[in-house]
Protein backbone atom coordinates (compact mmCIF):
# COMPACT_ATOMS: atom_id res chain seq x y z
CA UNK A 1 0.00 0.00 0.00
CA UNK A 2 2.85 2.36 0.88
CA UNK A 3 4.51 1.67 -2.49
CA UNK A 4 1.28 2.44 -4.34
CA UNK A 5 0.93 5.76 -2.50
CA UNK A 6 4.53 6.67 -3.35
CA UNK A 7 3.89 5.90 -7.02
CA UNK A 8 0.74 7.99 -6.99
CA UNK A 9 2.51 10.97 -5.44
CA UNK A 10 5.33 10.68 -7.93
CA UNK A 11 2.87 10.56 -10.83
CA UNK A 12 0.98 13.63 -9.63
CA UNK A 13 4.21 15.55 -9.12
CA UNK A 14 5.42 14.67 -12.61
CA UNK A 15 8.54 12.92 -11.39
CA UNK A 16 9.86 9.78 -13.00
CA UNK A 17 9.25 6.49 -11.26
CA UNK A 18 10.10 2.92 -11.99
CA UNK A 19 7.86 -0.11 -11.79
CA UNK A 20 9.32 -3.56 -11.42
CA UNK A 21 6.95 -5.97 -13.10
CA UNK A 22 7.10 -9.59 -14.11
CA UNK A 23 8.75 -8.67 -17.40
CA UNK A 24 11.53 -6.71 -15.69
CA UNK A 25 12.27 -3.09 -14.96
CA UNK A 26 10.23 -0.62 -17.06
CA UNK A 27 10.44 3.12 -16.86
CA UNK A 28 7.01 4.70 -16.80
CA UNK A 29 6.74 7.95 -18.78
CA UNK A 30 5.29 11.14 -17.26
CA UNK A 31 1.77 12.10 -18.42
CA UNK A 32 2.81 15.77 -18.29
CA UNK A 33 6.02 17.72 -18.01
CA UNK A 34 6.51 20.20 -15.20
CA UNK A 35 8.58 23.13 -16.38
CA UNK A 36 8.64 24.93 -13.04
CA UNK A 37 8.21 23.58 -9.54
CA UNK A 38 6.56 25.22 -6.59
CA UNK A 39 4.15 27.37 -8.63
CA UNK A 40 1.64 29.12 -6.38
CA UNK A 41 -0.95 31.81 -7.09
CA UNK A 42 -1.93 34.32 -4.46
CA UNK A 43 -5.61 34.66 -3.62
CA UNK A 44 -5.70 38.23 -4.91
CA UNK A 45 -4.49 37.08 -8.35
CA UNK A 46 -6.98 34.23 -8.73
CA UNK A 47 -9.66 34.89 -11.31
CA UNK A 48 -13.30 34.14 -10.57
CA UNK A 49 -15.98 33.38 -13.14
CA UNK A 50 -17.87 36.65 -13.87
CA UNK A 51 -21.51 36.65 -12.75
CA UNK A 52 -24.21 36.62 -15.39
CA UNK A 53 -22.05 34.91 -18.02
CA UNK A 54 -24.14 31.73 -18.11
CA UNK A 55 -27.87 31.06 -17.89
CA UNK A 56 -29.67 27.89 -16.80
CA UNK A 57 -33.14 27.09 -18.08
CA UNK A 58 -35.52 26.55 -15.12
CA UNK A 59 -37.56 24.08 -17.19
CA UNK A 60 -35.04 21.70 -18.81
CA UNK A 61 -31.87 22.89 -17.01
CA UNK A 62 -30.09 23.54 -20.30
CA UNK A 63 -27.07 25.80 -19.78
CA UNK A 64 -26.03 28.37 -22.36
CA UNK A 65 -24.32 31.73 -22.42
CA UNK A 66 -26.40 34.81 -21.78
CA UNK A 67 -25.34 36.20 -25.15
CA UNK A 68 -26.69 33.08 -26.89
CA UNK A 69 -29.92 33.36 -24.92
CA UNK A 70 -30.28 37.02 -25.88
CA UNK A 71 -29.74 36.23 -29.56
CA UNK A 72 -32.56 33.70 -29.24
CA UNK A 73 -34.82 36.44 -27.74
CA UNK A 74 -34.55 34.89 -24.25
CA UNK A 75 -36.18 31.67 -25.40
CA UNK A 76 -34.49 28.40 -24.40
CA UNK A 77 -32.87 26.87 -27.55
CA UNK A 78 -33.62 23.36 -26.28
CA UNK A 79 -37.17 23.34 -24.82
CA UNK A 80 -38.54 26.73 -26.03
CA UNK A 81 -39.10 27.96 -22.47
CA UNK A 82 -39.82 31.70 -22.50
CA UNK A 83 -37.73 33.48 -19.87
CA UNK A 84 -39.21 36.52 -18.16
CA UNK A 85 -37.93 39.76 -19.64
CA UNK A 86 -38.58 43.43 -19.01
CA UNK A 87 -39.99 46.33 -20.98
CA UNK A 88 -36.67 47.36 -22.49
CA UNK A 89 -36.18 43.87 -23.96
CA UNK A 90 -39.68 43.84 -25.45
CA UNK A 91 -39.19 47.29 -26.94
CA UNK A 92 -35.96 46.13 -28.59
CA UNK A 93 -37.71 43.05 -29.97
CA UNK A 94 -40.77 44.86 -31.36
CA UNK A 95 -39.64 48.27 -32.56
CA UNK A 96 -37.83 48.65 -35.88
CA UNK A 97 -34.08 49.15 -35.47
CA UNK A 98 -34.72 49.29 -31.69
CA UNK A 99 -35.79 52.91 -32.07
CA UNK A 100 -38.68 54.23 -30.01
CA UNK A 101 -39.77 57.24 -27.98
CA UNK A 102 -40.77 56.73 -24.36
CA UNK A 103 -43.90 58.55 -23.28
CA UNK A 104 -45.01 59.87 -19.89
CA UNK A 105 -41.75 58.99 -18.11
CA UNK A 106 -42.02 62.11 -15.94
CA UNK A 107 -44.49 60.59 -13.44
CA UNK A 108 -43.60 58.15 -10.68
CA UNK A 109 -45.15 56.54 -7.62
CA UNK A 110 -45.31 58.28 -4.25
CA UNK A 111 -46.48 57.17 -0.80
CA UNK A 112 -49.53 59.39 -0.39
CA UNK A 113 -51.06 57.09 2.28
CA UNK A 114 -47.99 56.75 4.49
CA UNK A 115 -48.38 52.96 4.21
CA UNK A 116 -46.13 50.65 6.23
CA UNK A 117 -46.00 46.87 6.39
CA UNK A 118 -42.60 45.23 6.92
CA UNK A 119 -41.10 48.54 5.84
CA UNK A 120 -42.48 51.92 4.74
CA UNK A 121 -43.78 52.05 1.17
CA UNK A 122 -41.67 55.15 0.52
CA UNK A 123 -38.53 53.23 1.52
CA UNK A 124 -39.43 50.44 -0.89
CA UNK A 125 -39.78 52.96 -3.69
CA UNK A 126 -36.44 54.58 -2.86
CA UNK A 127 -34.67 51.20 -2.86
CA UNK A 128 -36.12 50.28 -6.26
CA UNK A 129 -35.23 53.67 -7.74
CA UNK A 130 -31.67 53.23 -6.47
CA UNK A 131 -31.31 49.75 -8.00
CA UNK A 132 -33.03 50.35 -11.35
CA UNK A 133 -33.90 53.11 -13.78
CA UNK A 134 -37.60 52.24 -13.52
CA UNK A 135 -39.98 54.89 -12.24
CA UNK A 136 -42.97 52.57 -12.00
CA UNK A 137 -44.19 49.14 -13.05
CA UNK A 138 -45.21 50.20 -16.58
CA UNK A 139 -43.39 51.95 -19.41
CA UNK A 140 -45.09 53.34 -22.51
CA UNK A 141 -43.36 53.87 -25.84
CA UNK A 142 -44.28 54.68 -29.42
CA UNK A 143 -42.42 53.64 -32.53
CA UNK A 144 -42.51 51.69 -35.78
CA UNK A 145 -43.15 47.94 -35.90
CA UNK A 146 -42.58 46.66 -39.43
CA UNK A 147 -43.36 50.22 -40.55
CA UNK A 148 -46.60 50.32 -38.54
CA UNK A 149 -46.75 53.11 -35.97
CA UNK A 150 -47.90 51.63 -32.66
CA UNK A 151 -48.08 52.47 -28.95
CA UNK A 152 -46.78 49.74 -26.64
CA UNK A 153 -47.33 49.71 -22.86
CA UNK A 154 -45.21 47.08 -21.13
CA UNK A 155 -45.00 46.09 -17.47
CA UNK A 156 -41.85 45.37 -15.47
CA UNK A 157 -42.14 42.59 -12.89
CA UNK A 158 -38.96 43.89 -11.29
CA UNK A 159 -40.88 46.89 -9.93
CA UNK A 160 -42.89 45.49 -6.99
CA UNK A 161 -44.06 42.51 -9.01
CA UNK A 162 -45.40 44.65 -11.85
CA UNK A 163 -48.23 45.65 -9.53
CA UNK A 164 -51.10 47.87 -10.66
CA UNK A 165 -51.01 51.26 -8.96
CA UNK A 166 -52.17 54.81 -9.58
CA UNK A 167 -49.19 55.64 -11.82
CA UNK A 168 -49.74 52.59 -14.03
CA UNK A 169 -53.40 53.53 -14.37
CA UNK A 170 -52.47 57.10 -15.29
CA UNK A 171 -49.90 56.00 -17.87
CA UNK A 172 -52.41 53.58 -19.34
CA UNK A 173 -55.04 56.35 -19.60
CA UNK A 174 -52.62 58.80 -21.20
CA UNK A 175 -51.50 56.11 -23.64
CA UNK A 176 -55.11 55.59 -24.74
CA UNK A 177 -55.56 59.35 -25.19
CA UNK A 178 -52.36 59.43 -27.28
CA UNK A 179 -53.66 56.58 -29.47
CA UNK A 180 -56.98 58.38 -30.00
CA UNK A 181 -55.25 61.66 -30.83
CA UNK A 182 -52.89 60.13 -33.41
CA UNK A 183 -55.17 57.21 -34.43
CA UNK A 184 -52.71 54.47 -33.50
CA UNK A 185 -53.21 50.83 -32.41
CA UNK A 186 -52.53 49.98 -28.77
CA UNK A 187 -50.61 46.97 -27.45
CA UNK A 188 -50.34 46.15 -23.74
CA UNK A 189 -47.84 43.53 -22.53
CA UNK A 190 -48.96 42.33 -19.10
CA UNK A 191 -46.65 40.85 -16.48
CA UNK A 192 -48.04 41.44 -13.00
CA UNK A 193 -48.96 39.93 -9.66
CA UNK A 194 -52.05 42.12 -9.36
CA UNK A 195 -53.07 45.35 -7.64
CA UNK A 196 -50.58 47.10 -5.33
CA UNK A 197 -51.75 46.73 -1.74
CA UNK A 198 -49.60 49.66 -0.58
CA UNK A 199 -51.97 52.02 -2.41
CA UNK A 200 -55.13 50.40 -1.06
CA UNK A 201 -58.34 51.57 -2.77
CA UNK A 202 -56.38 53.88 -5.09
CA UNK A 203 -54.98 50.82 -6.86
CA UNK A 204 -58.38 49.14 -7.07
CA UNK A 205 -59.85 52.26 -8.67
CA UNK A 206 -57.50 51.73 -11.62
CA UNK A 207 -59.49 48.67 -12.70
CA UNK A 208 -62.51 50.83 -13.52
CA UNK A 209 -60.36 53.68 -14.82
CA UNK A 210 -58.45 51.57 -17.37
CA UNK A 211 -61.55 49.66 -18.45
CA UNK A 212 -63.39 52.95 -19.04
CA UNK A 213 -60.55 54.30 -21.19
CA UNK A 214 -60.68 51.17 -23.35
CA UNK A 215 -64.33 51.98 -24.09
CA UNK A 216 -63.18 55.31 -25.52
CA UNK A 217 -60.56 53.51 -27.61
CA UNK A 218 -63.22 51.15 -28.93
CA UNK A 219 -65.55 54.05 -29.76
CA UNK A 220 -62.70 55.56 -31.78
CA UNK A 221 -62.46 52.35 -33.80
CA UNK A 222 -58.85 51.67 -32.81
CA UNK A 223 -57.54 48.15 -32.09
CA UNK A 224 -56.41 47.04 -28.64
CA UNK A 225 -54.26 43.91 -28.37
CA UNK A 226 -53.56 42.36 -24.98
CA UNK A 227 -50.45 40.18 -24.71
CA UNK A 228 -50.39 38.13 -21.50
CA UNK A 229 -46.99 36.90 -20.33
CA UNK A 230 -45.75 34.95 -17.33
CA UNK A 231 -47.22 35.76 -14.83
CA UNK A 232 -50.45 37.76 -15.23
CA UNK A 233 -52.65 37.76 -12.14
CA UNK A 234 -55.07 39.66 -9.95
CA UNK A 235 -56.42 43.03 -10.98
CA UNK A 236 -54.72 42.91 -14.38
CA UNK A 237 -56.54 39.77 -15.51
CA UNK A 238 -59.72 41.14 -13.89
CA UNK A 239 -59.62 44.32 -15.97
CA UNK A 240 -57.82 45.35 -19.16
CA UNK A 241 -55.77 42.14 -19.45
CA UNK A 242 -58.82 40.25 -20.72
CA UNK A 243 -60.52 43.13 -22.57
CA UNK A 244 -58.48 43.11 -25.75
CA UNK A 245 -59.94 42.91 -29.21
CA UNK A 246 -57.49 40.03 -29.30
CA UNK A 247 -56.21 38.35 -26.14
CA UNK A 248 -52.99 36.50 -26.89
CA UNK A 249 -50.30 34.94 -24.73
CA UNK A 250 -46.79 33.54 -24.76
CA UNK A 251 -46.28 29.75 -24.44
CA UNK A 252 -46.42 28.42 -20.89
CA UNK A 253 -47.50 31.72 -19.33
CA UNK A 254 -49.20 31.50 -15.93
CA UNK A 255 -52.46 33.46 -16.15
CA UNK A 256 -55.31 33.78 -13.66
CA UNK A 257 -56.85 35.78 -10.85
CA UNK A 258 -55.89 33.97 -7.63
CA UNK A 259 -52.94 31.60 -7.36
CA UNK A 260 -53.36 27.82 -7.76
CA UNK A 261 -52.64 27.16 -4.08
CA UNK A 262 -55.35 29.59 -2.95
CA UNK A 263 -57.91 28.10 -5.34
CA UNK A 264 -57.09 24.54 -4.28
CA UNK A 265 -57.46 25.40 -0.60
CA UNK A 266 -60.77 27.17 -1.30
CA UNK A 267 -62.53 24.53 -3.39
CA UNK A 268 -60.84 21.55 -1.66
CA UNK A 269 -60.25 19.80 -4.97
CA UNK A 270 -57.22 18.89 -7.04
CA UNK A 271 -56.73 21.17 -10.04
CA UNK A 272 -56.34 19.89 -13.62
CA UNK A 273 -52.82 19.44 -14.93
CA UNK A 274 -51.49 22.64 -16.47
CA UNK A 275 -54.24 24.66 -14.82
CA UNK A 276 -53.86 28.43 -15.51
CA UNK A 277 -51.20 27.91 -18.16
CA UNK A 278 -51.78 29.67 -21.48
CA UNK A 279 -52.29 26.35 -23.32
CA UNK A 280 -55.08 25.39 -20.88
CA UNK A 281 -56.75 28.80 -21.27
CA UNK A 282 -56.56 28.60 -25.06
CA UNK A 283 -58.23 25.18 -25.00
CA UNK A 284 -61.06 26.55 -22.85
CA UNK A 285 -61.67 29.69 -24.92
CA UNK A 286 -60.06 32.41 -22.80
CA UNK A 287 -57.37 33.22 -25.39
CA UNK A 288 -57.47 33.78 -29.13
CA UNK A 289 -54.06 32.28 -29.83
CA UNK A 290 -50.60 31.67 -28.40
CA UNK A 291 -47.64 33.28 -30.11
CA UNK A 292 -43.97 32.40 -29.84
CA UNK A 293 -41.74 35.35 -28.99
CA UNK A 294 -39.54 34.70 -32.03
CA UNK A 295 -42.46 35.40 -34.38
CA UNK A 296 -44.26 37.92 -32.16
CA UNK A 297 -43.37 40.97 -34.23
CA UNK A 298 -44.49 39.37 -37.48
CA UNK A 299 -47.76 38.05 -36.02
CA UNK A 300 -48.66 41.40 -34.47
CA UNK A 301 -47.97 43.25 -37.71
CA UNK A 302 -50.17 40.82 -39.66
CA UNK A 303 -52.93 41.11 -37.08
CA UNK A 304 -52.96 44.91 -37.18
CA UNK A 305 -53.08 44.83 -41.00
CA UNK A 306 -56.14 42.60 -40.79
CA UNK A 307 -57.81 45.01 -38.36
CA UNK A 308 -57.28 48.06 -40.55
CA UNK A 309 -60.51 49.44 -42.05
Amino acid sequence: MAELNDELNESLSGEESSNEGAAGNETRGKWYKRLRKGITTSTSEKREMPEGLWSKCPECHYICTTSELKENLYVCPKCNYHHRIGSEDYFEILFDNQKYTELFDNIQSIDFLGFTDLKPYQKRLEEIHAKTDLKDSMRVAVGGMNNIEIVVACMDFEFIGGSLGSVMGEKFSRAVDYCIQYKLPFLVISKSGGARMMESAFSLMQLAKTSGKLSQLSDAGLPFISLLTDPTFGGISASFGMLGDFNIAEPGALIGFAGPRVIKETIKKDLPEGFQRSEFLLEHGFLDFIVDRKVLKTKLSTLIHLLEP
Side-chain angles (χ1 to χ4, degrees):
M1 179 63 72
E3 292 179 357
L4 290 175
N5 290 336
D6 291 340
E7 290 181 3
L8 179 61
N9 293 333
E10 289 174 355
S11 298
L12 292 175
S13 63
E15 297 177 358
E16 293 184 358
S17 63
S18 60
N19 181 25
E20 295 183 1
N25 296 335
E26 296 180 359
T27 302
R28 183 165 52 191
K30 294 179 292 186
W31 60 278
Y32 74 94
K33 184 176 182 180
R34 184 185 291 276
L35 299 178
R36 291 173 57 192
K37 293 184 178 181
I39 298 176
T40 59
T41 304
S42 64
T43 303
S44 61
E45 294 177 345
K46 290 181 179 179
R47 296 182 178 179
E48 300 292 339
M49 180 69 70
E51 292 186 5
L53 188 61
W54 298 90
S55 177
K56 183 177 181 180
C57 176
E59 187 70 23
C60 68
H61 308 298
Y62 175 76
I63 299 176
C64 65
T65 62
T66 52
S67 58
E68 178 186 355
L69 187 64
K70 184 177 182 180
E71 290 175 1
N72 208 44
L73 304 184
Y74 300 97
V75 176
C76 178
K78 185 176 181 181
C79 70
N80 205 46
Y81 174 81
H82 283 53
H83 291 254
R84 294 179 183 176
I85 57 176
S87 58
E88 185 173 357
D89 299 312
Y90 276 110
F91 291 162
E92 291 179 356
I93 291 171
L94 294 176
F95 289 120
D96 297 336
N97 302 318
Q98 301 180 358
K99 293 182 178 180
Y100 57 89
T101 302
E102 187 170 353
L103 305 174
F104 325 121
D105 61 341
N106 58 331
I107 53 177
Q108 62 183 42
S109 298
I110 60 173
D111 182 18
F112 41 78
L113 293 179
F115 186 92
T116 300
D117 50 357
L118 296 178
K119 63 175 69 173
Y121 178 36
Q122 185 60 41
K123 186 175 181 181
R124 290 183 187 274
L125 294 174
E126 291 172 356
E127 289 176 353
I128 295 174
H129 293 154
K131 293 178 182 178
T132 69
D133 295 330
L134 301 174
K135 295 183 179 179
D136 199 72
S137 51
M138 174 181 277
R139 294 174 65 200
V140 180
V142 60
M145 183 181 67
N146 287 336
N147 298 319
I148 301 172
E149 197 78 4
I150 185 172
V151 175
V152 180
C154 184
M155 301 176 196
D156 285 285
F157 199 78
E158 188 178 359
F159 195 101
I160 315 183
S163 51
L164 170 63
S166 55
V167 170
M168 182 192 289
E170 182 62 21
K171 284 190 173 183
F172 188 101
S173 299
R174 295 189 186 187
V176 171
D177 291 337
Y178 188 94
C179 290
I180 294 174
Q181 180 181 357
Y182 295 99
K183 301 189 180 305
L184 300 176
F186 189 33
L187 168 67
V188 173
I189 304 174
S190 300
K191 188 188 302 288
S192 173
R196 189 174 305 172
M197 68 172 188
M198 287 79 89
E199 295 187 12
S200 188
F202 286 98
S203 63
L204 298 178
M205 289 166 58
Q206 308 310 312
L207 279 69
K209 180 178 180 178
T210 53
S211 300
K213 296 301 291 187
L214 288 178
S215 297
Q216 297 179 10
L217 190 70
S218 177
D219 292 341
L222 298 171
F224 167 53
I225 302 172
S226 177
L227 171 61
L228 309 175
T229 67
D230 185 54
T232 300
F233 271 89
I236 302 300
S237 61
S239 58
F240 60 83
M242 288 294 185
L243 294 179
D245 297 314
F246 282 89
N247 297 323
I248 64 179
E250 289 185 336
L254 193 61
I255 304 166
F257 181 71
R261 179 182 57 81
V262 175
I263 296 175
K264 184 177 180 179
E265 291 178 354
T266 302
I267 66 176
K268 308 299 181 183
K269 291 184 179 180
D270 291 331
L271 302 174
E273 185 177 355
F275 178 66
Q276 292 187 321
R277 292 292 176 183
S278 54
E279 291 77 10
F280 186 90
L281 270 65
L282 176 65
E283 182 180 348
H284 290 78
F286 284 89
L287 297 174
D288 293 296
F289 59 87
I290 295 174
V291 57
D292 193 290
R293 190 178 294 161
K294 289 177 285 188
V295 296
L296 176 62
K297 184 175 181 178
T298 302
K299 285 288 184 70
L300 288 173
S301 303
T302 303
L303 186 59
I304 293 173
H305 276 305
L306 292 174
L307 294 173
E308 288 180 346

